[in-house]
Amino acid sequence: MPLPPFVVRSAAVPETEGAYPAPFDDEKLSLGRDLGTAAGSRRLGAWRERLLPGRRTSFTHAHVREEELLYVLAGRPSLRWIEPGQEAQEVELQPGDFVSFPAGTGVAHCVWNRADVEAELLVVGERHTSERTHYPEEPLFEAWRDDARPHRAWPDPVRPVGDARWPAARIETERLIIRPWEPADAWDLWALREANREHVGRWLAWGRETADVDEVLSDIRGYQVRFAERRDLVYGVFLGDHQPIGGIGLHKRVGPEGLEIGYWIDHAHEGRGFVTEASAALCTLVFEVRRLKLVEIHCEPDNVRSAAVPLRLGFTRTGTLPARHVNAAGDAVPSAVFSLLAHEWQSDRPLKAWDSLGRRLY
Ligand SMILES: CC(C)(COP(=O)(O)OP(=O)(O)OC[C@H]1O[C@@H](n2cnc3c(N)ncnc32)[C@H](O)[C@@H]1OP(=O)(O)O)[C@@H](O)C(=O)NCCC(=O)NCCS
């Protein structure tokens, strides 16, 4: 039976030798078969590449929009990468190794065959006409390319400026990933709420409410709208990308110069410093990216565990607001107020943050 047009035998796809255009064509790169085009791919490019000893796949480069994946089929090629502002690093790969380069991280990479045997790779990458690529080790090529293809130029290495610097849509701390809830999280969030009805509901009225998964989904859609409008930033707190363990938010309830942090954590993950870690990350972003002057945390005066979080982070108890908070029983009760000013904050905890386009904010 003849093969359908979307199946190709890679040996039947012609192999071409890679090189950059003149005047950068002295160096010969890998020998590659454009499997993606041959099989009719439109949004993804896929190349099977042979890398002779001493050659590299490309100049070290970082993509803004195109995600790239690499799988080692044979040999011992070396992966070379450069994190923004850091020295280049290399590690030797082996057959079966898989590498992922998410777009917009600013991490530049290439593969260099420093071994004495040929290496073979499968490289898959997105194709965006408005892609921008940064070549930290090849400033002449970068300048030439910016000139030749201005739409693919790199105006500002990774970092957005001004108003575009807010809000963070993905935050990574030492142990946590903090990101807005997505519709696909609805089942997990529903299960988490169910498991924490007593624990959270003791202090927060919504914690007691029973909700089916559709109500949780509709809550998530509401968070997304308010997040997009920058009215209210509600995040999930995750271990890895898909295990939610709690929630944290930045709320506009304390005037134009500040934001209030609210939080809750799954009872099984209490007492391990996760809330303190997530709150510290938000403080850094509010002060250093959003450049506001004040962060507050409010809680019922006898919610000792909640009050311990701001105290652990160096907040000062600045007062009590009468009848400010509706407790789980539906009564208006006072709130203890903890405040932290920008100049009082300093943190050397690991923290990375990106905007919704995957550009690094911090
Ligand atoms: C309030 C609440 C979020 C606090 O959670 P928490 O787990 O106590 O806070 P953290 O995650 O910061 O953990 C701190 C604890 O971990 C310990 N810890 C362990 N490793 C730690 C680390 N690396 N860093 C900081 N603390 C660490 C601390 O010593 C502290 O333990 P302790 O309570 O025995 O002193 C939680 O109790 C909760 O969800 N309550 C219900 C909802 C609620 O009240 N929300 C707030 C409404 S205002």
Side-chain angles (χ1 to χ4, degrees):
M1 184 180 161
L3 293 176
F6 43 84
V7 176
V8 292
R9 301 239 146 91
S10 59
V13 177
E15 190 176 63
T16 54
E17 185 168 46
Y20 285 102
F24 302 94
D25 52 351
D26 280 353
E27 183 179 339
K28 301 299 173 212
L29 305 166
S30 53
L31 298 152
R33 298 176 199 272
D34 183 356
L35 303 184
T37 305
S41 294
R42 293 186 191 149
R43 296 194 189 163
L44 297 174
W47 287 77
R48 183 170 178 153
E49 299 189 25
R50 281 197 301 130
L51 202 53
L52 303 179
R55 290 198 184 186
R56 57 178 160 167
T57 49
S58 62
F59 295 154
T60 326
H61 65 283
H63 294 292
V64 171
R65 308 188 85 188
E66 292 175 354
E67 184 152 314
E68 204 174 328
L69 306 171
L70 183 129
Y71 184 76
V72 181
L73 298 164
R76 300 194 314 275
S78 292
L79 177 67
R80 180 177 181 81
W81 78 98
I82 306 175
E83 302 198 22
Q86 308 285 312
E87 293 295 312
Q89 302 179 65
E90 289 197 15
V91 67
E92 192 177 276
L93 303 175
Q94 56 186 40
D97 284 358
F98 177 73
V99 188
S100 161
F101 296 105
T105 60
V107 179
H109 65 272
C110 71
V111 177
W112 208 313
N113 192 354
R114 306 213 185 265
D116 50 10
V117 289
E118 192 175 300
E120 203 165 1
L121 311 167
L122 179 66
V123 182
V124 176
E126 289 177 293
R127 288 178 170 157
H128 282 286
T129 47
S130 57
E131 169 59 0
R132 295 180 190 143
T133 316
H134 177 43
Y135 297 86
E137 294 188 301
E138 310 290 339
L140 288 179
F141 179 73
E142 183 162 313
W144 171 85
R145 188 173 155 122
D146 288 1
D147 237 23
R149 298 201 229 168
H151 65 287
R152 289 173 80 97
W154 184 277
D156 169 14
V158 196
R159 311 221 166 191
V161 292
D163 208 34
R165 282 174 56 75
W166 192 254
R170 181 181 174 89
I171 302 164
E172 290 180 8
T173 64
E174 192 180 353
R175 297 175 292 173
L176 303 169
I177 291 171
I178 302 165
R179 60 160 174 83
W181 295 105
E182 293 166 5
D185 299 317
W187 282 111
D188 287 336
L189 180 54
W190 169 79
L192 205 58
R193 280 195 191 169
E194 282 297 297
N196 286 284
R197 204 118 49 90
E198 281 305 310
H199 166 66
V200 172
R202 183 166 164 221
W203 300 105
L204 298 168
W206 63 259
R208 281 201 177 278
E209 291 160 12
T210 25
D212 61 29
V213 72
D214 288 307
E215 288 171 85
V216 174
L217 180 59
S218 145
D219 284 351
I220 291 176
R221 294 205 195 283
Y223 301 149
Q224 287 188 310
V225 169
R226 291 192 291 278
F227 193 95
E229 293 173 348
R230 302 202 275 187
R231 276 193 282 142
D232 195 44
L233 308 180
V234 173
Y235 296 97
V237 176
F238 296 76
L239 287 178
D241 257 308
H242 298 291
Q243 188 195 344
I245 57 167
I248 193 159
L250 282 172
H251 312 294
K252 287 185 175 176
R253 297 190 285 230
V254 295
E257 294 297 339
L259 287 169
E260 181 192 330
I261 297 180
Y263 40 64
W264 60 275
I265 189 121
D266 170 40
H267 63 89
H269 291 87
E270 212 179 24
R272 287 158 64 183
F274 291 132
V275 180
T276 303
E277 187 171 317
S279 303
L282 294 192
C283 289
T284 300
L285 295 174
V286 169
F287 293 137
E288 293 185 30
V289 177
R290 184 72 182 87
R291 301 218 169 271
L292 294 181
K293 297 197 175 93
L294 170 74
V295 174
E296 284 188 3
I297 290 176
H298 298 189
C299 66
E300 282 185 52
D302 53 351
N303 189 344
V304 177
R305 290 200 82 93
S306 184
V309 173
L311 293 175
R312 208 176 283 121
L313 289 172
F315 284 59
T316 308
R317 180 159 174 176
T318 43
T320 307
L321 295 168
R324 176 59 177 254
H325 177 80
V326 177
N327 73 4
D331 299 323
V333 292
S335 260
V337 178
F338 298 87
S339 309
L340 181 72
L341 295 169
H343 72 266
E344 296 168 331
W345 179 245
Q346 110 182 29
S347 166
D348 51 11
R349 292 166 183 259
L351 172 62
K352 292 180 183 170
W354 293 264
D355 73 1
S356 333
L357 294 181
R359 296 176 301 184
R360 190 77 178 266
L361 293 175
Y362 192 89

